Amino acid sequence: MQIPEIGPKTALFLDFDGTLVEIAETPTRVVVPPDLPVLLSKLRDLLGGAVAIVSGRPLLDTDRLLAPFSGASSGEHGAAIRHIDGTLDEVRSEVAVPEEWKKALAEETGQLSGVILELKPHGVTLHYRLAPDRQDDVWRIARSLVSDDHPWFRLIPARMAVEIGVKATTKGRAVENLMAAPPFAGRVPIFIGDDFADEAGMAAARRLGGQGLRVGEVFGGEPAAVRAWLQDGVERLTRPVMA
Ligand SMILES: [Mg+2]
């Protein structure tokens, strides 16, 4: 697939884990390259602010990891969306995985060594990267709480993890919501992601006249290649126009 170029009318929607940074053994062990926040800040300025992080992590988590970069962002697969002016569009705080579920999940995963339970404001993620042989157990536990037709929650398969998330929200919702307002409106969206949950974001970007790029297909599965492409975009946008 031809890799598109970042142009002055581009809007970027970037997943975090597996896209901007290499996936770590556990979410807390992720390593952010020291020049990444500066790179994102430059792109944000060159694109009039139209750079958004669209992650499954909570908003504050990517904020902290990418500081001092700040900008538009969506956390928990569209459950929380923050516009560039700081306006927050978040599903109601009552729409969150019940405390009893969290307790039950903590007890059950506590029996499975290597399985990590990540609690988020609206959802929870069960990570089995350190215990791949526990995949079936983890899915059984998750399915015991969330059936396919559950009215409020859904299971989101991820790389070596399964997440219980709010049903009404997706990364596609985040893209559509942000694209409806400045500085994104009228731009051509490019969504980059590496995982199942990114498909909705890619589909939304395509519906809005842009592109959805899979890291595995377009960037050889390498976040370093995504970062190089972003750096290339910075150079392209700052190059003086030849008369
Ligand atoms: Mg990812």
Side-chain angles (χ1 to χ4, degrees):
M1 180 185 176
Q2 182 79 24
I3 307 184
E5 288 173 355
I6 298 173
K9 296 295 282 177
T10 298
L12 289 174
F13 295 90
L14 306 167
D15 170 49
F16 182 72
D17 295 271
T19 297
L20 286 176
V21 300
E22 281 72 12
I23 289 185
E25 279 189 321
T26 72
T28 52
R29 280 189 222 165
V30 74
V31 175
V32 177
D35 51 354
L36 180 59
V38 179
L39 174 58
L40 292 172
S41 302
K42 280 185 190 163
L43 271 173
R44 175 202 58 205
D45 295 346
L46 289 164
L47 295 174
V51 175
I53 305 301
V54 185
S55 175
R57 290 183 184 251
L59 266 185
L60 295 179
D61 208 8
T62 43
D63 277 356
R64 179 181 54 79
L65 287 162
L66 289 172
F69 168 74
S70 66
S73 188
S74 169
E76 294 194 76
H77 310 289
I81 299 166
R82 188 186 58 223
H83 292 261
I84 193 145
D85 63 359
T87 312
L88 204 58
D89 177 344
E90 191 162 12
V91 297
R92 297 198 322 275
S93 57
E94 311 91 82
V95 185
V97 167
E99 288 304 317
E100 311 88 80
W101 286 16
K102 291 183 182 172
K103 261 174 75 181
L105 287 168
E107 269 168 34
E108 294 206 60
T109 56
Q111 319 278 326
L112 305 175
S113 79
V115 174
I116 294 169
L117 181 66
E118 182 189 5
L119 303 177
K120 306 177 179 186
H122 298 281
V124 296
T125 305
L126 303 156
H127 297 270
Y128 52 87
R129 181 166 298 273
L130 295 176
D133 53 324
R134 294 302 194 181
Q135 175 171 350
D136 291 349
D137 295 316
V138 167
W139 273 95
R140 180 181 47 74
I141 292 167
R143 283 207 185 92
S144 73
L145 293 172
V146 183
S147 55
D148 285 343
D149 57 353
H150 196 281
W152 301 316
F153 296 102
R154 63 180 179 129
L155 298 182
I156 307 167
R159 291 166 76 180
M160 309 297 261
V162 56
E163 177 151 0
I164 301 175
V166 181
K167 201 167 198 172
T169 72
T170 65
K171 290 193 176 188
R173 171 182 178 266
V175 171
E176 281 168 0
N177 183 305
L178 288 167
M179 281 294 288
F184 293 90
R187 288 178 171 268
V188 181
I190 298 179
F191 187 107
I192 309 179
D194 70 308
D195 214 338
F196 174 79
D198 296 308
E199 297 291 335
M202 293 179 202
R206 293 185 193 118
R207 270 199 305 279
L208 292 163
Q211 296 188 62
L213 309 180
R214 292 186 185 85
V215 179
E217 261 173 36
V218 181
F219 298 98
E222 297 290 340
V226 177
R227 297 194 297 267
W229 178 78
L230 294 172
Q231 180 60 44
D232 188 61
V234 167
E235 276 150 33
R236 179 183 311 281
L237 292 167
T238 46
R239 202 175 292 154
V241 179
M242 293 296 172

